[in-house]
């Protein structure tokens, strides 16, 4: 009875650990330790397969979480291309082929909604590990780290880069317009977009536009 009670607590601990900090189990050594602990726990409840089912589901969820984050990392890396020659590309394109944002989307509400989708996608991929990374690096005076072999996560960096990209997009779209009336219209359009972002509750995009 004591073993079963103890096993239930260990299962709860492992379940919360794997859900909150899956990156702790991304290397083979940690995964092997987890499997060894799981094997010992299942021996405490061999009569019915309840514990085994819970551990199996926990392991499956952990592998899915690690796989999803790995795929997100790969996709994001593809977009991290050098931007040094973008100005040259823009100059070589004919004026008719250079579309401004108003020709793509002239409704401030729709653009604000699309920006919010991007914000939510970026935020949903920020995990406690990312925050722990910052805490561990800030505490450099004592050289304190939770794990010395932890792999750096780039989700906060990607979110910060998106803020800067949006700011640069707004500035570029305004400055590339030659005529004053069109530039005024572009400024007013982005003011309306920022207002719609405020109404939605997307304050990050609003501040990037401002």
């Amino acid at each position: 009875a004591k073993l079963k009670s103890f096993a239930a607590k260990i299962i709860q601990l492992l379940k919360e650990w794997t859900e909150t900090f899956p990156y702790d189990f991304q290397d083979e050594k940690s995964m092997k330790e987890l499997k060894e602990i799981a094997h010992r726990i299942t021996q405490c409840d061999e009569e019915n397969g309840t514990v085994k089912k819970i551990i199996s589901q926990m392991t499956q969820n952990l592998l899915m979480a690690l796989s999803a984050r790995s795929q997100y990392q790969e996709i994001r890396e593809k977009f991290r291309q050098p931007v040094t020659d973008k100005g040259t590309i823009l100059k070589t394109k004919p004026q008719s082929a250079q579309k401004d944002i108003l020709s793509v989307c002239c409704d401030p509400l729709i653009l604000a909604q699309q920006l919010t989708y991007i914000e939510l996608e970026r935020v949903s991929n920020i995990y406690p590990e990312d925050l722990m990374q910052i805490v561990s690096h800030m505490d450099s005076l004592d050289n304190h780290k939770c794990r010395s072999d932890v792999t750096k996560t780039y989700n906060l960096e990607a979110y910060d880069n998106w803020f800067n990209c949006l700011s640069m997009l707004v500035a570029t779209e305004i400055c590339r317009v030659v005529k004053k009336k069109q530039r005024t219209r572009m400024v007013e359009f982005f003011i309306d977009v920022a207002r719609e972002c405020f109404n939605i509750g997307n304050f990050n995009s609003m501040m990037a536009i401002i």
Side-chain angles (χ1 to χ4, degrees), residues 71-116:
Q71 288 177 4
Y72 178 73
Q73 179 80 10
E74 290 175 7
I75 292 169
R76 198 173 61 245
E77 286 297 327
K78 290 180 181 178
F79 290 98
R80 296 181 68 182
Q81 302 295 330
V83 293
T84 52
D85 57 344
K86 280 192 175 180
T88 308
I89 294 170
L90 190 62
K91 288 177 183 177
T92 55
K93 278 187 176 182
Q95 191 70 29
S96 59
Q98 296 180 17
K99 292 183 178 181
D100 60 27
I101 200 163
L102 288 174
S103 63
V104 178
C105 178
C106 60
D107 189 335
L109 177 58
I110 292 175
L111 181 56
Q113 289 172 344
Q114 294 302 315
L115 292 175
T116 305

Side-chain angles (χ1 to χ4, degrees), residues 4 57 69 152 181 202 207:
K4 287 183 179 181
Q57 186 64 45
R69 296 188 191 194
K152 183 180 178 182
K181 285 185 178 180
N202 181 3
M207 291 304 299

Side-chain angles (χ1 to χ4, degrees), residues 2-164:
K2 287 183 178 180
L3 279 174
K4 287 183 179 181
S5 176
F6 178 73
K9 292 177 182 178
I10 291 294
I11 290 170
Q12 184 182 355
L13 171 64
L14 291 177
K15 192 170 181 292
E16 292 183 7
W17 191 354
T18 53
E19 288 176 356
T20 310
F21 298 100
Y23 262 33
D24 286 354
F25 303 93
Q26 63 184 339
D27 58 281
E28 292 182 8
K29 184 182 176 181
S30 300
M31 188 62 76
K32 185 180 178 182
E33 291 174 353
L34 177 65
K35 288 179 179 178
E36 287 177 357
I37 295 170
H39 178 68
R40 291 185 183 184
I41 294 170
T42 52
Q43 291 178 337
C44 299
D45 190 30
E46 289 182 324
E47 297 174 3
N48 55 37
T50 307
V51 172
K52 191 174 182 179
K53 287 180 181 178
I54 294 171
I55 290 176
S56 177
Q57 186 64 45
M58 178 191 72
T59 307
Q60 187 178 352
N61 292 340
L62 173 61
L63 293 173
M64 287 175 63
L66 290 173
S67 176
R69 296 188 191 194
S70 177
Q71 288 177 4
Y72 178 73
Q73 179 80 10
E74 290 175 7
I75 292 169
R76 198 173 61 245
E77 286 297 327
K78 290 180 181 178
F79 290 98
R80 296 181 68 182
Q81 302 295 330
V83 293
T84 52
D85 57 344
K86 280 192 175 180
T88 308
I89 294 170
L90 190 62
K91 288 177 183 177
T92 55
K93 278 187 176 182
Q95 191 70 29
S96 59
Q98 296 180 17
K99 292 183 178 181
D100 60 27
I101 200 163
L102 288 174
S103 63
V104 178
C105 178
C106 60
D107 189 335
L109 177 58
I110 292 175
L111 181 56
Q113 289 172 344
Q114 294 302 315
L115 292 175
T116 305
Y117 288 137
I118 296 172
E119 292 283 347
L120 291 172
E121 188 267 339
R122 295 291 193 278
V123 170
S124 66
N125 285 284
I126 296 176
Y127 299 95
E129 286 109 344
D130 302 294
L131 305 177
M132 292 300 294
Q133 288 276 336
I134 290 180
V135 171
S136 62
H137 287 302
M138 284 176 63
D139 198 6
S140 57
L141 293 175
D142 299 326
N143 291 323
H144 172 73
K145 290 186 179 180
C146 296
R147 286 180 67 92
S148 59
D149 59 340
V150 71
T151 302
K152 183 180 178 182
T153 53
Y154 297 93
N155 298 321
L156 278 171
E157 181 188 345
Y159 192 49
D160 185 54
N161 288 341
W162 159 246
F163 182 95
N164 295 330

